[in-house]
Amino acid sequence: MSTQPSEVLNSMDSFWNDDLAKADPEIAAAIGKELARQQDKIELIASENIASKAVLEATGSVFTNKYAEGYPGKRYYGGCDYADVVETLAIERAKELFGCNFANVQPNSGSQMNQAVFLALLQPGDTFMGLDLNSGGHLTHGSPVNMSGKWFNPVSYGVREGDELIDMDAVAATAREHKPKLIICGGTAYSRTWDFAAFRAIADEVGAILLCDMSHISGLVAGGAHPSPFPHCDIVTSTTHKSLRGPRSGIILWNDEKFTKPLNMAVFPGLQGGPLMHVVAAKAVAFREALTPEFKSYSHRVVENARALAASLEENGLRIVSGGTDNHSMLVDLTAKDVTGKDAEKGLDRAWLTCNKNGIPFDTRSPFVTSGIRLGTPAGTTRGFGPAEFRTIGKLIAEVVDGLAKNGAEGDAQVEESVRSRVAELCSAFPVYPNA
Ligand code: DSN
């Protein structure tokens, strides 16, 4: 037998041979239908995107088979040579992309990356501050049903009733009153620019560590379309699959070496075992993509498109929370139309426009019903839509909502059919995977 290494496969294309279709036709069929759904409908969920085929290929790679507990150069398993290559590349690229000194690329998800920060820096019962869920904050920033709210002591800040912007004076007053150990900025449904310097000043005044969860805007930060949380924030977390357009996962970034040991120890062995090395490889691919001039241009187009969509919705009679957007997303207030977010989500889905119902600030309806919808432009921008397409989409959304306002939850079937056909035209002109 030869003792030479096997010939290296240069591409996974030669590796697959319809194996899934033969081995498991049911799952293969569902995946095929999901691809068709993504192609045929317009994705407006602000936290979703369309990862490149290179990212998908890395995610589906043979690194699925590999255990690599530990960190590059210090593993608990043999055979980690190439795992070290991909993780080191992912770390170096993340640092270059966001201009910081340290990165942990192992968190499996957004909630785990934030849990790791809590585990590293807080004790159970410690007080921290985050944006209220009702003002666009995230579950892991202190919701009573999440570990952050059950095991720690959250105090929240919110948006002002008048202009629906974060009230920095109130943030400062709350911080002075409660002396949190940690302050979190960043959210899931806040469409305005974050003033990281103002958060830094407040954190310094009360002696708090400042964490930014930039999950929603990290692609914009990478491309220079939103100010960076560095150097103001001590620690920055981000999912990698939203505006950053990578695989589903999380990362933690920081500058001061004093956080290195606690954060790395919190991710492994504190919370996780073997990292998902196939996903780490895919993160490295996404970071390389995000370092290109094309991605920079993409991130600016995402914002330009969001402004076009918001303007079109307003021109067509829908109110945008806070009067507009500075980023990739917006909340649409349906109160004046007496349409619930739940009915709008369903009606728009019937018309092949995918979004999610979302509470608006000071919403009187439950989170299962809501008075609003959240819309975002990262996925549509990836498939090539520009301001003209997003203006059309705003008009189509308003038509469906007006049908719901007129007829109740069942909407206007004729309008929805007409919108579906215009969505189909847009989608066939802008394929999600042009060469698929
Ligand atoms: N579920 C994500 C979002 O949609 O914003 C946050 O975790």
Side-chain angles (χ1 to χ4, degrees):
M1 288 291 281
S2 164
T3 54
Q4 294 304 306
S6 299
E7 200 180 317
V8 175
L9 282 176
N10 284 322
S11 161
M12 294 290 287
D13 285 350
S14 51
F15 185 87
W16 304 121
N17 188 20
D18 284 338
D19 294 88
L20 181 62
K22 287 178 205 146
D24 194 333
E26 288 165 289
I27 292 295
I31 292 173
K33 285 181 183 163
E34 173 60 16
L35 174 58
R37 185 194 69 80
Q38 292 181 19
Q39 167 58 34
D40 294 342
K41 297 186 175 183
I42 295 179
E43 187 55 71
L44 294 164
I45 294 177
S47 49
E48 295 190 9
N49 212 325
I50 302 158
S52 70
K53 288 179 84 180
V55 165
L56 298 185
E57 189 171 325
T59 310
S61 73
V62 292
F63 273 115
T64 297
N65 302 333
K66 189 67 198 111
Y67 253 122
E69 281 172 327
Y71 289 101
K74 276 185 265 167
R75 304 282 189 186
Y76 289 81
Y77 289 82
C80 286
D81 312 51
Y82 307 113
D84 281 3
V85 170
V86 297
E87 186 165 348
T88 303
L89 280 170
I91 290 169
E92 292 307 316
R93 289 174 185 173
K95 284 160 43 182
E96 185 183 347
L97 189 59
F98 294 109
C100 61
N101 295 334
F102 301 99
N104 186 310
V105 296
Q106 291 193 6
N108 294 334
S109 70
S111 51
Q112 282 176 333
M113 79 201 177
N114 287 340
Q115 278 166 20
V117 177
F118 279 73
L119 182 62
L121 304 175
L122 303 186
Q123 295 299 317
D126 276 350
T127 298
F128 72 98
M129 264 172 74
L131 180 62
D132 187 12
L133 206 64
N134 298 320
S135 289
H138 189 249
L139 206 62
T140 59
H141 302 177
S143 159
V145 295
N146 182 262
M147 189 202 69
S148 58
K150 279 180 187 280
W151 291 1
F152 299 89
N153 178 35
V155 284
S156 59
Y157 57 91
V159 298
R160 269 189 297 255
E161 208 153 354
D163 58 10
E164 296 162 318
L165 301 178
I166 291 172
D167 181 345
M168 292 310 296
D169 292 336
V171 175
T174 308
R176 281 182 205 123
E177 185 187 345
H178 294 279
K179 299 271 181 299
K181 201 162 166 187
L182 177 81
I183 296 177
I184 308 176
C185 49
T188 61
Y190 187 68
S191 63
R192 295 306 192 171
T193 302
W194 287 87
D195 187 348
F196 298 125
F199 273 96
R200 175 77 265 163
I202 294 167
D204 282 345
E205 189 189 326
V206 301
I209 296 166
L210 182 59
L211 164 68
C212 173
D213 178 348
M214 63 167 181
S215 293
H216 263 262
I217 56 167
S218 57
L220 308 187
V221 171
H226 187 288
S228 172
F230 288 119
H232 307 292
C233 300
D234 298 298
I235 299 166
V236 176
T237 55
S238 180
T239 49
T240 54
H241 49 275
K242 298 186 173 89
S243 55
L244 195 50
R245 213 166 63 185
R248 306 193 67 79
S249 197
I251 49 172
I252 307 175
L253 310 165
W254 65 99
N255 270 334
D256 192 328
E257 173 130 44
K258 74 178 181 203
F259 295 121
T260 300
K261 193 169 176 200
L263 287 171
N264 283 343
M265 291 285 291
V267 174
F268 170 83
L271 286 170
Q272 296 185 177
L276 308 178
M277 288 314 300
H278 51 307
V279 182
V280 172
K283 279 184 252 197
V285 174
F287 299 155
R288 184 185 163 120
E289 290 176 359
L291 281 161
T292 60
E294 290 75 20
F295 192 88
K296 191 176 171 63
S297 152
Y298 162 76
S299 73
H300 286 274
R301 277 184 283 120
V302 166
V303 176
E304 189 190 352
N305 285 340
R307 291 207 175 111
L309 177 59
S312 167
L313 289 162
E314 283 193 320
E315 280 158 26
N316 287 285
L318 293 171
R319 190 184 89 83
I320 307 298
V321 168
S322 85
T325 177
D326 300 327
N327 62 24
H328 64 301
S329 69
M330 68 213 67
L331 279 177
V332 185
D333 176 5
L334 304 169
T335 312
K337 299 275 177 187
D338 200 21
V339 171
T340 66
K342 182 179 169 194
D343 289 344
E345 179 188 304
K346 286 193 176 142
L348 289 165
D349 191 50
R350 288 193 297 271
W352 293 2
L353 294 155
T354 311
C355 71
N356 63 282
K357 61 180 171 293
N358 212 105
I360 56 169
F362 313 101
D363 208 327
T364 51
R365 293 188 167 106
S366 90
F368 299 104
V369 180
T370 80
S371 302
I373 49 171
R374 186 185 63 165
L375 304 173
T377 53
T381 305
T382 296
R383 74 189 295 171
F385 294 162
E389 286 75 29
F390 274 105
R391 268 193 292 274
T392 302
I393 292 166
K395 191 168 169 299
L396 299 180
I397 290 169
E399 285 180 30
V400 173
V401 169
D402 284 340
L404 292 160
K406 195 174 67 176
N407 290 352
E410 71 272 22
D412 184 324
Q414 260 185 343
V415 167
E416 288 173 11
E417 171 59 32
S418 149
V419 170
R420 251 195 319 273
S421 78
R422 282 172 287 160
V423 167
E425 273 168 34
L426 278 172
C427 288
S428 68
F430 294 91
V432 288
Y433 291 103
N435 305 316

